[in-house]
Amino acid sequence: MVDPGTVVSIIQQARERRTAPLILELDLTDGMVEAAPADPLSALMSMRRNQLRDVLDGLRRARGDDRVKALVVKITGGIGLAVVQELRQAVQAVRDAGKLTVAWAESFGEAGRGTVPYYLASVFERVYVQPSGDVGLMGLALEEPFFAGALEKAGVQPRFAQRHEYKTAANTFVEKGYTPAHRESSQRVVTSVTEQVIDGIATGRGLSRERVRELMDRGPLLADEALESGLVDRLGYRDEVYADVRAQVGDDAQLRYLARYNRAHGLAKRLPRPGRNDAIALINGQGPIRLGRSGRGGPLPGQGTAMGSDTIGAALRAAVRDDRVKAIVFRVNSPGGSAVASDAIWREVVLARKAGKPVIVSMGNVAASGGYYVAMAADTIVAQPGTLTGSIGVVFGKPVINGLLDRAGIGMGSVAEGEHSRLLSVTKDFSSSEWERVDALLDRIYDDFTAKAAEGRGLPRERMDELARGRVWTGADAKANGLVDELGGLDLAFDLARERARLPEDAPIRTYPQVSPLERLRQPESSEDRTAARARFDAWGSLGGLAARLGLPATGPLTLPGAWEIR
């Protein structure tokens, strides 16, 4: 028989748990994903990683929750600059709401680069580092390899063409060092990002920009040097960090991971309510762009997601057909890829707008080349200051490996019909007539790209050509030049979408396509069926072929150089 006193005690404890003050925790050791990967295996492997929207929703909810007294975040590396800026904005809002915000790390870089992780920490009210740790505030650098000399020694002849001088993906293979345009573009990106980081740290820590630059030039700093200079508030281990927080907010406070808090308290809000079914659709476009369905971006788990034109197109069509959807937020995080696939997605964005559904693009760490192509027709483009975008240009080519095969003692034979049947063969150089076709292809893609970009951004063709030419811009510079409209993150994009659709500020967000696990298994009835957007579980996708195995830019002619990511 159950003791009545025990039952009463259990009920009382449950009540206390529901009303006890909370200390929310966020551990960034494993980094963060923008959204659940498209294929089932990768999704399973990333289940325990923080998802950006979960974190942002949780922080937004915490601002108005009286039970939440503090936010404690363990900061490590591995998060891109634009997402860091998104987190900074969300944390600042929590801090402005009167909550204690604490960042801690065993080390910001551990004698290495810790500039971006520390940049994130600097927005918190209190910053801790372990006494044995460091603050690797060392500035930012972009290192880009040039393989022309190595390929020459290996007997490989890179044959590439691009439009135009700032489209530098091919330079990695055809040059032995920077061209003037390449150096100019890269230097401006690093300068712009450094300016953003210095401004953020100076504001967060109450230091002058000159002082931050001086400390950056001295880095990495030992823990006691960082404390003395005002970059951190206290030196302490994890137990000391949490003891200090409890001393301020109360020993009865309960620890709760931010994602668990958000999911538990957001369930009621996600359930449909009578008379409140109008919503914003969220469509995630992640990874290199290819024809077909989204899926893994490489042969092994953990190599990221590829954005398939069929998947994104079907998601946009599903959102357009759904009467409950009043606006669409399209999250783009992509270095580009196939020009044809990018154009197919662009068309669906245009059709969504024609159907009366406003489209707001939110750019992630990278939305360049094809990633910009799919975004440029939106009503509004939102990017972070540190987003890498633009790269409006095109590159095409192949390696010719005859010399390598000769050195290896490998003979190649071929039979063919058609003057250009071996145009893509890596054992044959381009003929003069094939170069004519390549040039025609590049000219057509570039002219189409810039014309549509000019129309979408409301700029004269001449001005767009000045901004294009393959040049990569930071979001801050892109905003100044009219390539993006607003600086901010997903939350701003949602607010703009609600405003355009005249929805209340708490209108729900629904991810499209909404396909259940069982629906993913069945054969779709038609290309209009929402299950047609399900991910594919292939190994190579559009990355197959010898060029991809050699690391050449074979994902498509609209591709950002692979080295361009600042963490």
Side-chain angles (χ1 to χ4, degrees):
M1 184 175 179
V2 179
D3 179 17
T6 302
V7 173
V8 171
S9 176
I10 292 173
I11 294 174
Q12 181 65 29
Q13 290 175 12
R15 287 175 179 170
E16 290 176 355
R17 283 196 297 270
R18 287 197 298 268
T19 58
L22 294 176
I23 299 171
L24 298 182
E25 297 180 281
L26 176 60
D27 187 343
L28 297 177
T29 300
D30 295 325
M32 186 173 297
V33 294
E34 289 261 354
D39 72 89
L41 181 57
S42 296
L44 183 65
M45 295 181 67
S46 66
M47 282 181 62
R48 298 193 60 172
R49 296 181 67 188
N50 294 298
Q51 291 189 28
L52 178 61
R53 190 181 159 205
D54 271 350
V55 170
L56 296 178
D57 285 352
L59 293 176
R60 174 176 278 196
R61 182 168 288 111
R63 289 174 357 213
D65 190 340
D66 291 338
R67 294 181 309 147
V68 175
K69 304 302 181 183
L71 169 69
V72 180
V73 179
K74 181 182 180 183
I75 294 178
T76 57
I79 300 179
L81 179 65
V83 172
V84 162
Q85 291 175 331
E86 199 140 4
L87 291 175
R88 280 176 55 89
Q89 292 159 359
V91 169
Q92 183 64 59
V94 172
R95 183 175 174 181
D96 292 343
K99 318 292 184 181
L100 173 64
T101 57
V102 175
W104 73 279
E106 288 99 348
S107 183
F108 293 101
E110 194 170 8
R113 291 179 181 173
T115 299
V116 173
Y118 178 75
Y119 172 51
L120 172 56
S122 67
V123 78
F124 287 74
E125 179 179 343
R126 200 178 296 167
V127 182
Y128 288 75
V129 69
Q130 194 166 291
S132 55
D134 311 292
V135 175
L137 181 62
M138 298 165 57
L140 298 158
L142 181 62
E143 296 180 334
E144 302 174 78
F146 296 94
F147 296 120
L151 293 175
E152 181 180 320
K153 291 179 179 179
V156 176
Q157 297 174 300
R159 294 291 187 254
F160 288 90
Q162 69 255 16
R163 299 292 185 273
H164 282 278
E165 68 273 21
Y166 293 105
K167 192 67 176 179
T168 58
N171 290 4
T172 301
F173 308 101
V174 302
E175 302 289 348
K176 296 182 178 180
Y178 280 120
T179 64
H182 193 162
R183 178 179 291 278
E184 176 193 355
S185 176
S186 295
Q187 182 61 62
R188 178 53 202 163
V189 166
V190 172
T191 299
S192 176
V193 169
T194 302
E195 291 168 353
Q196 297 166 33
V197 168
I198 288 176
D199 284 344
I201 293 174
T203 301
R205 301 304 301 171
L207 302 170
S208 69
R209 297 181 78 259
E210 293 74 20
R211 177 58 173 161
V212 174
R213 185 61 191 240
E214 176 188 332
L215 293 170
M216 181 180 287
D217 289 339
R218 282 178 52 198
L221 301 171
L222 304 179
D224 56 351
E225 293 173 331
L227 178 64
E228 182 182 357
S229 65
L231 291 178
V232 302
D233 298 288
R234 298 182 190 178
L235 307 184
Y237 295 91
R238 180 195 178 280
D239 62 293
E240 295 173 311
V241 174
Y242 280 79
D244 284 355
V245 173
R246 287 189 182 279
Q248 181 164 337
V249 305
D251 290 335
D252 60 335
Q254 296 180 358
L255 295 177
R256 189 74 46 81
Y257 274 123
L258 182 62
R260 291 291 296 271
Y261 164 81
N262 180 56
R263 290 166 189 163
H265 295 271
L267 180 60
K269 189 171 182 178
R270 289 194 295 269
L271 293 174
R273 298 188 222 176
R276 296 193 59 185
N277 288 331
D278 290 347
I280 303 298
L282 171 62
I283 297 171
N284 282 296
Q286 306 289 325
I289 300 169
R290 69 186 186 192
L291 291 168
R293 296 188 298 275
S294 298
R296 285 216 305 265
L300 299 173
Q303 289 189 275
T305 296
M307 186 197 314
S309 57
D310 287 355
T311 298
I312 302 301
L316 286 163
R317 291 193 296 273
V320 167
R321 290 196 305 272
D322 192 332
D323 292 337
R324 299 171 302 172
V325 172
K326 303 304 179 184
I328 298 168
V329 171
F330 182 18
R331 176 72 170 187
V332 179
N333 191 42
S334 171
S338 163
V340 176
S342 300
D343 193 43
I345 296 172
W346 169 88
R347 176 64 177 173
E348 295 294 345
V349 172
V350 170
L351 292 175
R353 292 185 61 191
K354 286 184 177 179
K357 304 288 176 88
V359 179
I360 312 297
V361 162
S362 169
M363 292 180 166
N365 290 321
V366 178
S369 201
Y372 188 81
Y373 199 121
V374 302
M376 63 189 179
D379 292 89
T380 304
I381 298 177
V382 180
Q384 289 290 355
T387 297
L388 296 180
T389 189
S391 193
I392 302 170
V394 55
V395 61
F396 181 87
K398 66 179 181 180
V400 178
I401 63 171
N402 289 342
L404 177 61
L405 295 177
D406 287 344
R407 293 178 186 185
I410 300 173
M412 291 291 294
S414 67
V415 293
E417 290 286 350
E419 285 296 315
H420 299 160
S421 61
R422 296 180 62 209
L423 185 144
L424 297 180
S425 170
V426 296
T427 60
K428 175 187 174 299
D429 205 342
F430 290 122
S431 66
S432 59
S433 63
E434 286 173 337
W435 272 120
E436 289 177 4
R437 301 317 305 155
V438 169
D439 285 335
L441 170 72
L442 297 181
D443 289 339
R444 190 259 298 167
I445 294 174
Y446 183 77
D447 290 345
D448 194 37
F449 197 167
T450 53
K452 289 173 177 173
E455 180 183 3
R457 298 291 87 214
L459 295 171
R461 284 290 300 275
E462 296 77 12
R463 176 57 178 159
M464 180 53 67
D465 187 60
E466 293 173 0
L467 297 172
R469 310 192 70 79
R471 181 159 183 171
V472 178
W473 301 93
T474 63
D477 287 346
K479 169 69 164 59
N481 286 299
L483 293 177
V484 305
D485 301 295
E486 302 285 348
L487 295 180
L490 259 179
D491 281 346
L492 176 58
F494 290 145
D495 290 342
L496 292 173
R498 291 184 178 106
E499 181 182 324
R500 289 295 299 266
R502 297 178 180 169
L503 293 177
E505 64 180 14
D506 62 344
I509 308 297
R510 294 194 178 96
T511 301
Y512 280 71
Q514 294 180 309
V515 180
S516 70
L518 289 177
E519 286 178 313
R520 289 178 182 273
L521 297 176
R522 75 172 179 83
Q523 181 71 22
E525 293 180 3
S526 72
S527 61
E528 294 294 324
D529 190 329
R530 63 181 180 174
T531 60
R534 68 189 189 281
R536 66 180 178 190
F537 189 66
D538 66 330
W540 280 102
S542 62
L543 300 179
L546 179 60
R549 290 169 174 80
L550 290 174
L552 298 179
T555 54
L558 304 185
T559 304
L560 185 74
W564 285 69
E565 186 165 10
I566 297 175
R567 292 187 181 273

